[in-house]
Every structure is written in C-alpha cells, then in structure tokens.
Amino acid sequence: MVLKSDVHPIKSADDVVRVRQVARQWAAELKFSLVDQTKLVTATSELARNTLEHGKGGTMRVEQVENGPRRGVRLTFEDNGPGIPNIERALQDGYTTGGGLGLGLSGSKRLVNEFEIKSEAGRGTTVTIIRWK
Amino acid sequence: MDRIPILKMGDCLLVTIQVDMHDQLAVSLQEDLTAQIAKYASRGVLIDISTLEIVDSFIGRMLANIAAMSRVLDAQTVLTGMQPAVAITLVELGMSLSGIKTALNVERGMELLRQYIQEENEYREPDGSEE
C-alpha cells in the first residue's frame, strides 16, 4: 500500500543531486539506519544518473510503501529514452556502454531489497527499487 | 561555476570535499588537481572525504583516476576520513578502490604522505639525480 508519493524531474546534473537529497529525506523519515540510508541514496545516485545520461532525462517517483508491518521507500526511475536492448547484459558487473565502470545497475541492485527493470527499445526504461526498513 | 578549493602545503596538496558533488564538479577537481600537481611539482595529494555522505561509482572512479593520474605525475594520493557507512556501501556496490592509499583521518594521512616522500627521496639520492 502506498502511504504517500511525490514526483521529481531528472533533467540536469543538479537534479541528480536533488533527488539524492529527496531519497535521503524519505529514508530518514522512516528512521532508516545510516548504512541503509547511504545504500538507498547511493543507488538513487546511480539510477538517476542512468536516467539522465542513457534515458536523456526523466522522472523519479518516490513513495512510502507499507507491506504488513513493514514500511519502506520505493523509488521509480522512468525515462522515454532509447531503452536497453539487452537487460541481462546491462545487469552484469563491468558491462558498460557509457564508458563508466559498469557498476551502476548491477551495483544498485545489490544495495536495495527489491529491484525491477523494464525496458522497451525506443520507448524507454523504468527501474523500480524498494528498500525496506 | 563552483570549484573545490585546493590548498598547497609544502610539497603536498590538500583537498577537502565538503559539498554534495555533482558530476561536473568531480571532473573539474580532477583537472584542477592534475594541473596544480604539475605546476607546483607536488609530491603528495591528500583528499579528505569525511563530510561526504555518499561515494557512488562515478565519484569512486574519479577518486581512482586522481590517484592514477597523480602517480603518473610523480605524486602519491591518500584518501582520508571515509565514513563507515560509505565504506560499506562502496564495497557492496562493487568498488574496493584497491589502487588508492587510505588513512582514517587527515593526521594519519599526512603522516603517510611524509613517510612516502621521505622514502622516495632516500631512494633517489644515491645517484644524485631523479632522471
């Protein structure tokens, strides 16, 4: 169940910094430990950068979600960019098309509890992550 | 545009990263630092990240690049003050920064640099020239 939600644009490098701060605030509000906050914010940074650089910009939806007794933060990164032709390969450590280290997707997956990626060539990419308290 | 200040102290350069960096700022730091190492013939670079709340793969790569570039320019880099939560996250992300020397705080970092520079100097002295 979604308790509250908000949407933020990712159109510039400053927006990437801003959505990191948003993720931090929402995690702090649920009293995440410092390590858990740091993991969520770092994953946010990786995914927001992907949205900006590979997806040519998009949005981050932030939600406070509840599943039975658990509460968590769900983040959805959405773009209308070129999409990812081979998701399996994109999720491998070290695979990169952007000249980076290729840790963005695979690394952020390790930093959260739930990770889902949908992509369609020419239509865009949506990545959803949840970190539970 | 914003720039991260670089302080010169003897033959070392000191940088304290205190802001939530966006990517371009990290790139300009890389350029500024290498330019200053060459300009002052610095032998050591200390980068303090004790106030940095996250290090993602981009910033991690930038730090590794700085260490490698400094090395090529005859300077040693020490990274100091990484918060435990940042270290845990960075390793889980898949970056171990294995090529970078680290120290728990600025004091120990400076000690490490001095020691390194001294050792290098002793090694170079016998034939009287660096070339």
Side-chain angles (χ1 to χ4, degrees):
Chain A
M1 199 176 84
V2 178
L3 300 171
K4 57 178 191 166
S5 82
D6 208 352
V7 178
H8 296 268
I10 303 172
K11 301 254 175 255
S12 68
D14 284 334
D15 287 339
V16 174
V17 174
R18 212 162 296 132
V19 297
R20 286 206 293 246
Q21 288 159 357
V22 169
R24 167 87 59 189
Q25 281 160 12
W26 285 60
E29 196 183 318
L30 285 183
K31 300 201 164 51
F32 275 37
S33 72
L34 185 58
V35 172
D36 287 351
Q37 283 183 34
T38 307
K39 285 180 179 174
L40 185 70
V41 176
T42 305
T44 303
S45 187
E46 300 292 344
L47 297 173
R49 183 178 299 107
N50 283 351
T51 301
L52 180 68
E53 290 190 354
H54 301 294
K56 313 294 169 214
T59 56
M60 179 186 86
R61 174 181 293 278
V62 53
E63 294 163 306
Q64 192 182 106
V65 291
E66 194 181 47
N67 182 5
R70 291 195 303 181
R71 282 194 182 187
V73 176
R74 177 161 69 196
L75 300 171
T76 307
F77 299 84
E78 199 170 357
D79 67 61
N80 301 310
I84 303 170
N86 188 337
I87 290 184
E88 243 168 71
R89 205 167 50 171
L91 279 169
Q92 280 169 12
D93 267 354
Y95 179 76
T96 177
T97 55
L101 295 168
L103 292 173
L105 273 183
S106 53
S108 8
K109 191 176 175 185
R110 284 192 290 270
L111 295 178
V112 294
N113 302 119
E114 290 177 38
F115 182 99
E116 192 189 41
I117 180 164
K118 283 186 206 144
S119 190
E120 205 180 320
R123 308 285 302 258
T125 302
T126 305
V127 180
T128 307
I129 57 172
I130 302 179
R131 177 104 210 160
W132 297 104
K133 168 87 167 38
Chain B
M1 215 197 103
D2 298 345
R3 281 236 152 26
I4 295 170
I6 300 170
L7 308 176
K8 179 178 173 295
M9 203 174 105
D11 48 9
C12 291
L13 297 174
L14 307 182
V15 181
T16 308
I17 303 175
Q18 290 181 326
V19 287
D20 196 353
M21 276 201 293
H22 57 74
D23 295 356
Q24 191 48 47
L25 194 59
V27 173
S28 20
L29 175 65
Q30 202 169 286
E31 289 166 6
D32 292 350
L33 254 179
T34 45
Q36 298 228 19
I37 292 170
K39 185 178 171 191
Y40 298 119
S42 303
R43 301 294 307 284
V45 176
L46 185 142
I47 303 174
D48 183 65
I49 56 165
S50 52
T51 56
L52 217 54
E53 290 180 329
I54 65 155
V55 173
D56 63 8
S57 67
F58 187 87
I59 298 173
R61 178 157 62 109
M62 188 236 13
L63 293 169
N65 282 354
I66 287 177
M69 291 169 186
S70 312
R71 200 51 256 160
V72 176
L73 293 170
D74 192 25
Q76 179 69 46
T77 304
V78 175
L79 190 67
T80 66
M82 185 182 290
Q83 293 177 16
V86 173
I88 292 170
T89 303
L90 197 60
V91 170
E92 213 154 299
L93 185 65
M95 289 198 88
S96 54
L97 291 182
S98 51
I100 306 186
K101 286 204 178 345
T102 56
L104 273 183
N105 53 43
V106 175
E107 221 174 333
R108 289 194 187 182
M110 282 309 293
E111 223 169 88
L112 201 66
L113 279 181
R114 279 206 196 94
Q115 211 177 338
Y116 163 80
I117 293 170
Q118 199 183 344
E119 275 169 21
E120 282 275 287
N121 287 346
E122 278 165 14
Y123 174 76
R124 285 170 190 191
E125 257 160 29
D127 53 344
S129 100
E130 294 186 8
E131 256 68 53

